[in-house]
Amino acid sequence: MLTSLILSAAVAASGSSVPADGTSWTIHADKVYTSTGKVHESALIVVEGGKIRAITPGVEATRDALKAAVVTAGMIDASARLNSGTTSVEQSSEVTPLVSAEFGVDLFSPGWGRLARKGVTSAFITPLNQNCIGGMGTVLKTAGDRSVKGRTVEGAPMICGAIGSQPSQRNSSAFGRPTSFFNRRPTTRMGVEWEWRKSLFEAAQAKEPDASQKVLLDALAGKVGVFVQAWATQDIRTAVFLKEEMAREGFGEMRLVIDAGAEAWREPAMLVRSNTAVILPPVPAQGRTTDGALMSVECASVLRDNGVSFALSGHGGSRLDLQAGLAMRGGLTREEALRAVTLTPAQLLGVDGRVGSVEAGKDADLILWNGEPFEATTRPVGVLVSGHLALDPR
Amino acid sequence: MKSSLSQPLLALGATLLLASSAAAAPQVDKTAVKAGTVITLTGEAIPDGVIVIEGGRVTAVGAASEVQIPWDATVIDQPGMVAFPGFVEAHAARGIDRPNETLDVAPFLDVKDSIDPVNFYFEEALRQGILTINVQQGNDTVVAGQGMVVKPFGMTVEQMMVRPRSGVKISAAPKRGKTRATQAQALRGAFDDLRRYLEEMVQRQKDGDDFDRREALYQGRELEGEAAKGKPLACSGWTIDGFERVPRGEVDEKREPLLRIIEGKLPVIMWCATPMDVHAALRVAEANGFTATMTLALAPACWKAAAKIKASGCSVILAGLEDEELDPVTGESIETFVPKVFHDAGIPFALMSTGDANRSLWYQAARCVANGIPRADALAAVTTAPAEMLGLGDRVGKIAKGTDGHVVLFSGDPLDITSVVEHVILDGAHVYDRSKDVRVKQLFDGTRPPGTASDTSGEEDWPGDGDDPEGDDETENNG
Amino acid sequence: MLISCLIAAAPLLGATAADDAFALRASHVHVGDGQVVLDAFVVVEDGVVKSVSNNAPRGVRVVEVDGHIAPGFISLRETLGAGSENSERTRKSTPTADLSFAFDPTSPSWKGLVAEGVTTVLLPAGSSQIAGGQAAIVSPAAGEVLKRNAVVTLGLSRSALGSSTAPTSFAGLYAHLGEQFDAASEGSPLADAKAGKVPVMMRAVTRSEVSRALDFAAAHGLKGAVLGAPEADDLVDEIKASGLGVVFESKAAPASSQDVVKSALALSKAEVPFAFTSDAGSQGPLGMRMQAAACMRAGLEAGAALRAMTADAARIAGVDATHGTIATGRAADLVVWSGPPTDLTSRVHSVYAGGHLVHSAHAHGAHQ
């Protein structure tokens, strides 16, 4: 009672809860899942200037509060793939570590609004995976500021690429005269691996590494994370073996994250031994997915049982909350599914200082649900991104 | 109608679903299903309920304390599960060879000639608890063939059959290669052609020309009994004077289904892709007197025609839950949850499943609940509403005395995301047990069926390439 | 009398009799900056305007004109007559290329354009190049190059990317351009652009392309304009903050020009200078006038529309000291119209370029 009195006074003192810039709110929820394991009942969340100012459990809703059955942190899509397609990847070379994904982003695309309204508040954007090593990824908020800089969430730098068949798809050998720079290696899976190994070796052995090679050296040292798309078992193995080979050669210990690791569930021990994290792609309609990989519905549970760090992703089109629900169908608890779309991706991307959980001091990225999250019978009815209302619950 | 499940089940798709003992399924006269909760869809859910099925029909349903279980009944007791009536698929163009013919107007075709009992669709339907399916031809047509209501179990089409000639698929949306104008013309033409033919028949009767009779005999049709009688044309759209002179059996079999359509004896499912198509559909139906027996199958954009549909009294089948439009001026996205529009307008609607193993009819109903449709109405859209549309409202879609003996046992509430179908009882026989479903095993935990290619169940975890490759500095034949 | 008629009827490029002074008297003189002087005399001497006033000049031959006088229109992109000569397709960047060499004054296509009142055009590089070269200001009316190396052309839209030639991505484009700018030596065009001595014109079409272009300009201190930007109304604040103008690509067909109309109105309200292209090759000689008329139909004031085609265009191209307005010291590029110059029903009577009569529609308009 006293708490709510003090709180109401605080709220009143800080001015009305809906000031001009639209980034300050009071929200009341019957339940708040913080993603840290703590659950608050009947809690009031005060948002000010786009940040979570305070969370007070056990109080009644104030008159002008936004009301929800459940509040969780905004979801983070660790592989949103909302780039501008082929203009996001510099294909004149297969290895382009200096390209930044922020140049391949179209903030005016309606896809951002869709993501935000479905509860995804931050998205990791990478260059299209047509190159072996495509460039540096970036974490962007899905709504709010109108410039890329304004939406960027600074995190752990990540260099992105792919292993498998995708990088070799456009290339062909030159019969007679080469007609374009696509007449080049790699044209096969092993060629892709060769490009990777060659770039890493050359960087490690260069007497005067150039700018691109400096990035690769940082990747070898683990200062820059390596975000590799590898759908099938053979490709995941290749990625892990590369890491282990580089370590054996004395070049350093890479921090490896497998993106779209559909078959990661097959060899979890290998992932644990090499300290590799996994981003899971959306569950396919009938089991089979890209590169013939079979993604079992229980794959998230298998990774959890074996202690592999994993996050879920929606690839832009698929609803991330549905993926969390399907992960529950496969055996995760609701808390574990929530972590896999909030705190864990935040940690893997190095942005957990600002996002990923409902805690005072973090950005006000929140989802208001009309029931328990991730059920097919519920959906987000309100979404805040940096305190801006991307989906209005009123 | 009792289905005959007495034949031994052979090693085709259906084996995957049954007990590995592969024994002949016994003729089951009496079954009792006991479940922790029984959802009948006729009233409140029954805790600790019992369903008694005799001769393939439900003879009793109620609380365990109130229902007498026959001493010779096979009892399936699952106190942790939820019993539910089978889902009803209002219309699907799957499980057949190709969905459409190239012929524009072909109502004389019948899907019974095209249904493949081992098609994956039926296996998947059973797995998802969809027990009554109206198989129709696809949407790429003008007037397509006749459909059939089946259950997804049986080795032959006859065993699967629930109701033959259940309706005809007509499309108001242009067939591939046609424009809106030529589609409308073809549709009108089909019925104008019928009308002209019937008028000619009457004229021939008057002239004493027995051409039609000879044609019928030549085509091998009977002209005895009912077929020898003539009846006045019972079409509310137009009429033909003197049609009662013509013995019904003499009507050419290619056109006879159209005659039944306009007399309201053969239901129509009309496909519409845009709101404009709805108008065209209603016009054709009105002109030819079959509005009362027509159901509209709608693409998501057609929600805009809801008012017109309400006025017509037609029910709808929704092929898609969400419609998104970009405002041409502001560029903003306008999203509409389509079933809500029809629900709020009071139009009976049914939902359709997709090919996605994890988003079947239960998922479609759950999304309705998420978007504000009451649970009872959402469940009705996948059970009782389509059952009514198929004229099987007193047989399927609910559990009550007299309905077909279909029960689906879920591991939890059917709309929960973690619930799965554990058992299916069809016409009183236990035809599906999830623990023995090899395909589900593969989907869920990735187990490959034994003996299939690349079965890796015996391999150990790959140790990595710590060792140098063996040998061969003296390789002779390097390319 | 007879001699004057001959002079009045002199064809294109008559250099002989034109250095003597003369004055034009008209009921309306549109200065170009918004002012309209009624019943005014424009005195021309040595190819420049000497004065604009209501007082009759003494000792000068006066040509009475039945209509309005306005500055010649300035189009900030016209490649008519240049064919494909403004795009060097083998290299993505040729920053020192001088586009004035692509100008063919004898091409017959210019006549139609001049007959619609366009006296001065900017000839830029094509949009398929990243740093295509230095645009020239040319006068098809006078048949000469007015200013070489006037504007640095940059292509920052999707057209500048290759599908099987480098760069294929925007990241690659900006990396390449950044390198070009960093490597630019003192006195080279890109260095001059960075120093603010020469304006740039950056082609960018989608909103994200425009946004990136504005960021690039801010990072390198560039002045000038964005070419394209049909959805500029979504980025008004950002464009205003950048200090850049916008050059809209004219569309003759009303249906295609709607985006530009909205954006022009928004920029006018925000007092951001904008201009138009003529692109007569695809839009016909009337393209620019039609685009301006479409904007006026939607509410743009006639004065603002005229400014976009004259004074503001000159300012964006950096030639406002000599062109774009009828004022003392400016070049005598004058067009005599049968009515207000922005009115689509007005016709061109005659065109003067650098004081010479270079076009006359018919003899009726000019009478002694």
Side-chain angles (χ1 to χ4, degrees):
Chain A
M1 194 61 223
L2 188 62
T3 328
S4 60
L5 276 177
I6 293 171
L7 194 65
S8 321
V11 168
S14 68
S16 90
S17 57
V18 186
D21 75 337
T23 57
S24 299
W25 308 90
T26 359
I27 303 160
H28 183 269
D30 300 334
K31 254 201 255 187
V32 176
Y33 291 111
T34 59
S35 296
T36 61
K38 251 214 276 237
V39 178
H40 299 296
E41 308 267 343
S42 188
L44 206 63
I45 303 171
V46 176
V47 170
E48 227 169 81
K51 298 272 184 195
I52 301 173
R53 183 67 56 216
I55 309 161
T56 317
V59 293
E60 295 294 308
T62 55
R63 193 171 34 88
D64 45 7
L66 301 173
K67 295 184 189 50
V70 174
V71 165
T72 66
M75 295 187 282
I76 299 170
D77 193 333
S79 185
R81 302 183 177 214
L82 206 61
N83 54 36
S84 53
T86 49
T87 57
S88 68
V89 59
E90 183 48 52
Q91 294 191 73
S92 50
S93 160
E94 282 288 344
V95 178
T96 52
L98 295 175
V99 164
S100 170
E102 68 177 11
F103 283 97
V105 165
D106 179 4
L107 284 187
F108 297 92
S109 155
W112 291 99
R114 270 184 224 122
L115 268 188
R117 285 190 300 272
K118 309 270 190 242
V120 176
T121 53
S122 302
F124 185 56
I125 305 298
T126 58
L128 187 67
N129 281 321
Q130 289 293 126
N131 274 7
C132 294
I133 297 178
M136 308 291 287
T138 180
V139 178
L140 296 174
K141 291 286 177 92
T142 54
D145 202 283
R146 290 156 57 84
S147 67
V148 173
K149 284 277 174 294
R151 288 217 203 158
T152 303
V153 185
E154 293 294 335
M158 293 281 230
I159 188 168
C160 308
I163 285 179
S165 61
Q166 193 173 357
S168 65
Q169 270 162 5
R170 265 197 90 168
N171 299 341
S172 57
S173 49
F175 289 112
R177 265 182 311 125
T179 48
S180 77
F181 55 46
F182 288 109
N183 297 130
R184 65 180 175 205
R185 291 187 201 95
T187 54
T188 61
R189 218 175 208 96
M190 63 183 179
V192 172
E193 195 270 350
W194 176 83
E195 286 285 347
W196 272 88
R197 192 186 307 120
K198 175 168 179 281
S199 316
L200 293 171
F201 258 89
E202 284 180 357
Q205 293 171 335
K207 291 211 175 29
E208 281 175 26
D210 62 31
S212 296
Q213 289 173 321
K214 288 204 179 102
V215 176
L216 293 177
L217 284 172
D218 283 341
L220 284 169
K223 294 191 204 139
V224 167
V226 179
F227 195 82
V228 185
Q229 173 187 274
W231 292 85
T233 307
Q234 62 182 82
D235 300 321
I236 299 173
R237 282 179 184 169
T238 305
V240 174
F241 296 165
L242 253 179
K243 170 179 163 150
E244 292 179 335
E245 185 182 350
M246 295 299 121
R248 260 201 318 277
E249 294 286 339
F251 296 154
E253 190 79 30
M254 303 201 299
R255 185 167 86 82
L256 192 60
V257 177
I258 302 286
D259 179 30
E263 288 196 330
W265 57 276
R266 283 207 193 280
E267 291 173 336
M270 175 180 72
L271 300 170
V272 172
R273 151 186 108 220
S274 61
N275 214 13
T276 303
V278 175
I279 312 292
L280 291 172
V283 176
Q286 288 289 354
R288 288 276 165 198
T289 176
T290 309
D291 275 346
L294 176 74
M295 183 170 173
S296 68
V297 176
E298 291 173 3
C299 63
S301 311
V302 171
L303 295 179
R304 173 211 51 202
D305 292 341
N306 286 274
V308 177
S309 205
F310 68 93
L312 305 178
S313 67
H315 288 191
S318 192
R319 304 169 60 102
L320 195 53
D321 59 329
L322 173 66
Q323 295 306 315
L326 293 177
M328 285 171 62
R329 195 174 173 83
L332 291 190
T333 65
R334 205 181 306 277
E335 271 293 345
E336 288 165 346
L338 179 62
R339 276 186 96 96
V341 293
T342 53
L343 197 52
T344 312
Q347 287 164 342
L348 291 177
L349 297 167
V351 294
D352 52 320
R354 270 182 70 178
V355 295
S357 59
V358 184
E359 292 180 286
K362 285 205 175 173
D363 287 4
D365 290 353
L366 300 166
I367 307 175
L368 284 64
W369 301 84
N370 63 356
E372 288 291 300
F374 314 140
E375 286 294 328
T377 46
T378 63
R379 69 186 172 98
V381 291
V383 179
L384 277 90
V385 181
S386 303
H388 293 276
L389 211 51
L391 181 64
D392 196 331
R394 295 170 291 192
Chain B
M1 176 174 40
K2 196 162 87 168
S3 67
S4 48
L5 296 168
S6 55
Q7 283 125 2
L9 296 155
L10 304 171
L12 288 168
T15 329
L16 300 175
L17 307 170
L18 265 220
S20 51
S21 59
Q27 186 78 4
V28 182
D29 291 318
K30 297 183 190 155
T31 312
V33 180
K34 298 174 73 177
T37 312
V38 172
I39 299 176
T40 59
L41 294 183
T42 60
E44 292 291 315
I46 304 167
D48 292 321
V50 175
I51 306 159
V52 178
I53 303 167
E54 293 177 65
R57 297 270 170 147
V58 173
T59 52
V61 55
S65 50
E66 290 166 8
V67 172
Q68 177 91 302
I69 298 176
W71 67 271
D72 55 344
T74 310
V75 179
I76 299 167
D77 187 3
Q78 296 287 356
M81 295 191 188
V82 176
F84 189 78
F87 292 110
V88 179
E89 180 93 80
H91 112 298
R94 293 149 73 196
I96 51 180
D97 172 28
R98 242 177 302 170
N100 283 110
E101 283 299 316
T102 50
L103 290 173
D104 279 0
V105 181
F108 47 86
L109 297 176
D110 195 324
V111 295
K112 78 171 184 310
D113 298 321
S114 166
I115 287 177
D116 181 5
V118 300
N119 188 293
F120 177 72
Y121 170 65
F122 297 118
E123 181 193 319
E124 184 71 6
L126 192 60
R127 179 176 294 126
Q128 302 288 351
I130 304 174
L131 303 186
T132 310
I133 302 163
N134 180 23
V135 179
Q136 296 280 161
Q137 285 207 292
N139 298 333
D140 187 29
T141 183
V142 178
V143 177
Q146 295 169 74
M148 174 190 256
V149 180
V150 299
K151 37 185 194 266
F153 191 83
M155 291 325 305
T156 63
V157 179
E158 285 71 25
Q159 286 176 0
M160 294 170 70
M161 183 169 73
V162 172
R163 168 168 295 171
R165 305 175 109 194
S166 57
V168 166
K169 185 64 153 310
I170 303 185
S171 175
K175 181 180 152 137
R176 207 184 342 222
K178 279 193 164 19
T179 62
R180 201 172 294 285
T182 46
Q183 178 82 6
Q185 182 188 41
L187 251 184
R188 267 196 306 271
F191 292 101
D192 289 345
D193 185 55
L194 171 72
R195 187 174 188 163
R196 214 168 339 147
Y197 169 73
L198 297 178
E199 281 167 356
E200 284 166 10
M201 283 188 95
V202 171
Q203 190 56 48
R204 282 195 284 272
Q205 285 287 324
K206 285 184 184 160
D207 296 343
D209 182 351
D210 68 342
F211 166 80
D212 297 301
R213 188 187 157 72
R214 281 183 283 116
E215 264 300 299
L217 290 172
Y218 178 70
Q219 286 178 8
R221 278 180 280 136
E222 286 178 11
L223 293 174
E224 314 282 306
E226 280 302 309
K229 296 189 195 147
K231 281 178 289 199
L233 190 67
C235 171
S236 61
W238 38 273
T239 193
I240 304 224
D241 289 327
F243 189 64
E244 57 276 8
R245 291 164 164 256
V246 179
R248 284 301 178 109
E250 285 182 14
V251 176
D252 174 34
E253 57 191 18
K254 280 211 169 69
R255 295 185 175 87
E256 189 263 346
L258 286 175
L259 178 59
R260 273 190 293 133
I261 287 173
I262 62 169
E263 289 194 313
K265 301 209 190 88
L266 183 58
V268 168
I269 298 184
M270 178 82 75
W271 165 251
C272 303
T274 65
M276 273 195 288
D277 297 334
V278 172
H279 287 250
L282 292 173
R283 240 178 290 135
V284 163
E286 187 68 22
N288 294 287
F290 58 86
T291 313
T293 48
M294 176 171 74
T295 308
L296 295 167
L298 304 177
C302 297
W303 65 268
K304 293 180 177 170
K308 196 103 170 85
I309 296 170
K310 172 81 179 175
S312 73
C314 292
S315 304
V316 303
I317 301 169
L318 301 177
L321 300 179
E322 286 177 10
D323 184 39
E324 189 193 357
E325 266 185 287
L326 287 179
D327 185 308
V329 174
T330 63
E332 274 170 40
S333 167
I334 307 164
E335 288 162 352
T336 311
F337 189 74
V338 175
K340 186 116 202 321
V341 176
F342 291 95
H343 170 264
D344 291 347
I347 299 170
F349 66 96
L351 304 171
M352 283 174 61
S353 70
T354 64
D356 192 322
N358 293 305
R359 298 190 228 199
S360 185
L361 282 177
W362 67 269
Y363 175 81
Q364 311 289 318
R367 293 315 294 164
C368 288
V369 173
N371 283 277
I373 294 177
R375 181 186 156 98
D377 298 332
L379 285 175
V382 292
T383 51
T384 51
E388 286 293 334
M389 288 178 208
L390 298 177
L392 296 168
D394 53 355
R395 282 189 51 188
V396 296
K398 60 188 185 192
I399 303 176
K401 194 153 177 236
T403 60
D404 288 8
H406 300 336
V407 180
V408 178
L409 285 170
F410 277 92
S411 59
D413 186 83
L415 299 186
D416 277 357
I417 193 128
T418 48
S419 296
V420 292
V421 172
E422 292 284 358
H423 300 277
V424 172
I425 290 95
L426 199 61
D427 290 327
H430 185 193
V431 299
Y432 176 80
D433 180 347
R434 185 189 165 86
S435 64
K436 302 186 173 82
D437 184 349
V438 177
R439 167 102 183 129
V440 144
K441 264 207 201 359
Q442 182 179 29
L443 271 184
F444 267 67
D445 64 19
T447 314
R448 292 265 178 54
T452 57
S454 62
D455 164 23
T456 54
S457 56
E459 286 180 24
E460 291 161 23
D461 191 5
W462 190 267
D465 69 337
D467 309 319
D468 288 318
E470 279 169 352
D472 262 356
D473 298 316
E474 319 135 10
T475 40
E476 300 104 69
N477 299 322
N478 285 339
Chain C
M1 195 65 97
L2 197 59
I3 300 169
S4 311
C5 284
L6 282 174
I7 289 168
L12 216 57
L13 309 177
T16 45
D19 282 358
D20 58 340
F22 67 96
L24 294 174
R25 181 188 189 178
S27 56
H28 296 75
V29 173
H30 300 258
V31 174
D33 60 2
Q35 280 185 77
V36 182
V37 186
L38 300 175
D39 197 27
F41 293 84
V42 179
V43 181
V44 175
E45 190 179 317
D46 289 337
V48 293
V49 170
K50 192 135 172 267
S51 69
V52 180
S53 76
N54 295 112
N55 309 321
R58 278 190 301 239
V60 172
R61 172 176 58 89
V62 174
V63 178
E64 294 262 349
V65 149
D66 180 16
H68 298 223
I69 298 179
F73 291 151
I74 301 175
S75 154
L76 290 192
R77 181 175 68 191
E78 184 51 67
T79 53
L80 198 60
S84 57
E85 293 284 350
N86 70 330
S87 265
E88 178 49 56
R89 289 192 200 284
T90 61
R91 306 248 299 280
K92 275 295 165 184
S93 283
T94 47
T96 53
D98 181 346
L99 269 300
S100 62
F101 290 107
F103 175 52
D104 176 11
T106 61
S107 167
S109 351
W110 292 119
K111 263 221 182 106
L113 196 60
V114 172
E116 291 299 337
V118 179
T119 53
T120 315
V121 309
L122 182 75
L123 184 57
S127 26
S128 59
Q129 284 191 286
I130 296 174
Q134 301 167 85
I137 310 246
V138 307
S139 171
E144 55 192 38
V145 177
L146 297 177
K147 187 173 179 188
R148 301 203 132 76
N149 306 329
V151 171
V152 169
T153 329
L154 298 177
L156 305 177
S157 69
R158 204 194 169 117
S159 328
L161 298 180
S163 58
S164 55
T165 49
T168 63
S169 65
F170 284 112
L173 185 157
Y174 278 98
H176 169 95
L177 192 57
E179 277 167 35
Q180 296 279 317
F181 266 83
D182 291 341
S185 51
E186 178 95 29
S188 70
L190 296 182
D192 282 346
K194 256 173 101 156
K197 292 188 199 150
V198 171
V200 302
M201 198 157 76
M202 306 180 290
R203 181 148 192 278
V205 178
T206 68
R207 286 166 293 178
S208 56
E209 287 168 8
V210 173
S211 188
R212 270 185 227 111
L214 294 176
D215 287 344
F216 186 80
H220 290 86
L222 304 177
K223 296 269 164 283
V226 175
L227 168 66
E231 292 167 302
D233 56 325
D234 268 347
L235 291 165
V236 176
D237 296 335
E238 288 86 341
I239 295 173
K240 180 134 183 144
S242 71
L244 296 166
V246 175
V247 178
F248 291 115
E249 293 171 321
S250 296
K251 293 273 184 290
S256 326
S257 67
Q258 283 317 303
D259 277 340
V260 168
V261 166
K262 266 202 308 181
S263 296
L265 288 171
L267 291 186
S268 176
K269 218 163 112 181
E271 291 174 5
V272 174
F274 63 93
F276 297 110
T277 63
S278 45
D279 290 336
S282 55
Q283 306 301 324
L286 272 174
M288 191 159 92
R289 288 180 67 195
M290 299 279 277
Q291 181 65 68
C295 294
M296 283 168 63
R297 251 177 46 137
L300 188 68
E301 279 178 2
L306 183 62
R307 252 206 314 283
M309 296 193 280
T310 56
D312 282 351
R315 187 142 54 99
I316 289 174
V319 294
D320 49 317
T322 51
H323 288 80
T325 45
I326 303 180
T328 310
R330 307 286 196 272
D333 284 357
L334 311 166
V335 179
V336 179
W337 297 85
S338 63
T342 48
D343 198 333
L344 270 181
T345 58
S346 301
R347 279 163 298 126
V348 169
H349 279 171
S350 41
V351 179
Y352 291 82
H356 307 166
L357 179 63
V358 297
H359 170 78
S360 182
H362 45 74
H364 300 306
H367 50 261
Q368 291 296 355

